[in-house]
Amino acid sequence: MNLKKLLQSNDFGYYEKRLCLLLLLSAIPNAFPLLQSLVNNYVPPYRCDVSAIVENAKNETATGKIEIASDGQWNEHLLNLTIPLEENETGSFKRSSCTRYNVSLEYLQNLTEYSFMQPMNTINENDVIPCAKFHFEGTEASAVTEFGLVCDQAWQRPFFVSLYMLGMLFGVICGGIISDWFGRKLTFLLFTALQFIVSFATSFVTTPTLYGILVFLNGWSNLVNFGSAALLGFEFVPPIHRSFVYFVLGTGLGLGVTLLGPIMYFARNWRWFMGFAGLIGIPYIAYFWLIDESPLWLAAKGKDEELERVLRKVARINKQKQKSKEEIKKLLPSETDAPKSCFKAGLEIISNRVMMGRILIASLSWCVVSMSYYVIIFNINNLSGNRFVNVSISGAMEVLSHVLFYVIVDSFGRRKSYMITMTCCAVGIALTPLAAIWNNILVVVLSMIGLLTSDMGFAIIYVYHVEFFPTPTRQTVMGICSACARIGGIISPYILHAEENGKTVAPYLGMAAVILLSVASNVFLPETRDQPLPQNVEDALKMKGLSLTSLCSTDKSEERKEAKKSPPISNLHLSETNI
């Protein structure tokens, strides 16, 4: 169904359109804590802080040649005395960022003018010591510059990013349980508030330990917030419109990334940025009155009075006849059958090689898509050109990716769409380190293509992989897949850390190979376009994966006609969606 038909659908009234708009707006600030590392982990050029040596020696040297420039930057002669040179990957030399010469004040006091003008050559080059303090260039302040997270402490940067992903993994595990216990609306409001409160509190931290704790909480709240928003939308709209709900949420997140560029430009201090990310939550207090609880959750919990109030509100806003409580309850699974079928289906999946194979293939796909996305997005600061412009461009790519996803996923099918987009992503990632040798602009272009395709891949598998698992175990299986995505996110900062240590080719080629392995394995998954959702393991096994030869065939009209003859699944199981 195209966008025009969707907006004109009787099942998608003014209330549902307003809800989608609210969900889009709620997703915009989710980008700020998600990508906080672009601000907090920013590493400007740096070297040893030799100010103590200079202050002690500038008025006592025999030659009187040591001077500090008026702008506070050390002149070339002073750097020759204190900072050794190191050979970089291209064969040229640059000053060391992590070591300095172990020069003494006595040595500086006995300099001649000639030796002072030349690079250090009278001290053994091996006589160097680690930097005790660092001098960072520029005016931007980040957690890196404040806590000295470079050189021997550089391991903390990827660790903090992994802590955020670990928080999201924790959200995957407990988010669905919290939502089922306390309701979609309350979970959404509580974790939205927690996200803003934690972001604001982060702007006041004074130690790396406390910063790490708040980063973990931010990842937890961000994931549960986004997932509960998706669940609200999925349960308010008919099943055929769920891809539109994900499109709306993804577009909101992309708009947030687009806005992140100018926000980073004006908030050059990481504390200002985190304070802004918290204070922006004040207008969202209105969501307490604007958002309603899911009718399906209310019906499942027997909250008849609140259910009737929500139904009256929806009918009034849509100017339609109010649905009865009985009609809503018909959408729910049988209370007596659901637990039994869930247990039986779980045993059948475990004992069935085909279903276990599908779980492994889907889990690998989620892991590599997440890893690819975060490796690219977290590397934005290292691309050539203006980093603020690059961030905004990446946001525009995310918006475009969800538009393309919404257009192609029903036109080309789920499987083909995933395989084409992720193949392009793998090629782009493999060529990135090679392009860096030829042209830095080409690196930016390949990175944006990789970001576009990996984001499309994420959207595709979010819709695709829920469609070939049976209803009773769908949430459990997708929870496993989502956990694998967080594992990919945890791995991603260490791939970037390997690049910083000079291993630029191997990590990217390895990523490309794993992505292509995922693409090839998806051949064995069934195409689910126009197929009814399987209600049990037997239904799921009837959905066949195609061979390599049949995949190349373009004539699928007969298959689609047969699929459309099957009646659509009208009942919406509460656990069909995943956080």
Side-chain angles (χ1 to χ4, degrees), residues 480-516:
I480 295 172
C481 293
S482 187
C484 290
R486 307 314 148 200
I487 293 173
I490 292 172
I491 296 171
S492 62
Y494 292 98
I495 295 176
L496 292 175
H497 192 60
E499 179 190 8
E500 291 177 3
N501 289 312
K503 302 174 183 178
T504 56
V505 178
Y508 284 91
L509 293 180
M511 280 182 56
V514 174
I515 293 172
L516 291 176

Side-chain angles (χ1 to χ4, degrees), residues 77 91 96 163 166 173 178 200-201 306 308 329 331-333 376 379 397 401-402 415 421 466 506 535 545:
H77 306 318
S96 173
L163 270 181
L166 194 63
I173 297 171
I178 296 173
F200 187 72
E306 189 174 352
E308 189 171 354
K329 289 182 178 180
L331 299 176
L332 300 174
I376 296 170
N379 196 44
M397 290 296 101
S401 72
H402 285 88
R415 182 177 51 195
T421 55
V466 304
Q535 293 301 289

Side-chain angles (χ1 to χ4, degrees), residues 31 43 110 165 179 188 190 222 235 243 308 338 366 372 385 387 393 579:
V43 186
N110 291 283
M165 297 299 168
S179 181
F188 171 74
L190 283 178
N222 186 268
E235 293 186 355
S243 59
E308 189 171 354
W366 282 68
S372 305
R387 70 189 188 97
I393 293 175
I579 293 184

Side-chain angles (χ1 to χ4, degrees), residues 3 60 92 94 106 115 222 225 242 248 253 270 281 288 363 366 388 428 447 506 509:
L3 182 61
E60 301 181 23
S92 59
K94 66 175 183 178
E106 290 74 19
S115 64
N222 186 268
N225 158 283
R242 286 184 214 156
V248 165
L253 193 63
W270 72 286
F288 180 82
S363 298
W366 282 68
F388 308 111
S447 296
L509 293 180

Side-chain angles (χ1 to χ4, degrees), residues 134-152:
F134 297 93
H135 170 75
F136 294 92
E137 297 181 7
T139 59
E140 291 188 61
S142 65
V144 171
T145 64
E146 187 166 327
F147 298 134
L149 306 182
V150 293
C151 299
D152 291 343

Side-chain angles (χ1 to χ4, degrees), residues 158 161-173 223 362-375 378 458 478-495 511 514:
V161 178
S162 293
L163 270 181
Y164 185 91
M165 297 299 168
L166 194 63
M168 297 183 77
L169 178 59
F170 185 71
V172 169
I173 297 171
L223 190 282
S363 298
L364 176 63
S365 299
W366 282 68
C367 182
V368 300
V369 169
S370 177
M371 181 175 61
S372 305
Y373 172 80
Y374 287 115
V375 164
F378 288 151
F458 223 137
M478 296 313 298
I480 295 172
C481 293
S482 187
C484 290
R486 307 314 148 200
I487 293 173
I490 292 172
I491 296 171
S492 62
Y494 292 98
I495 295 176
M511 280 182 56
V514 174

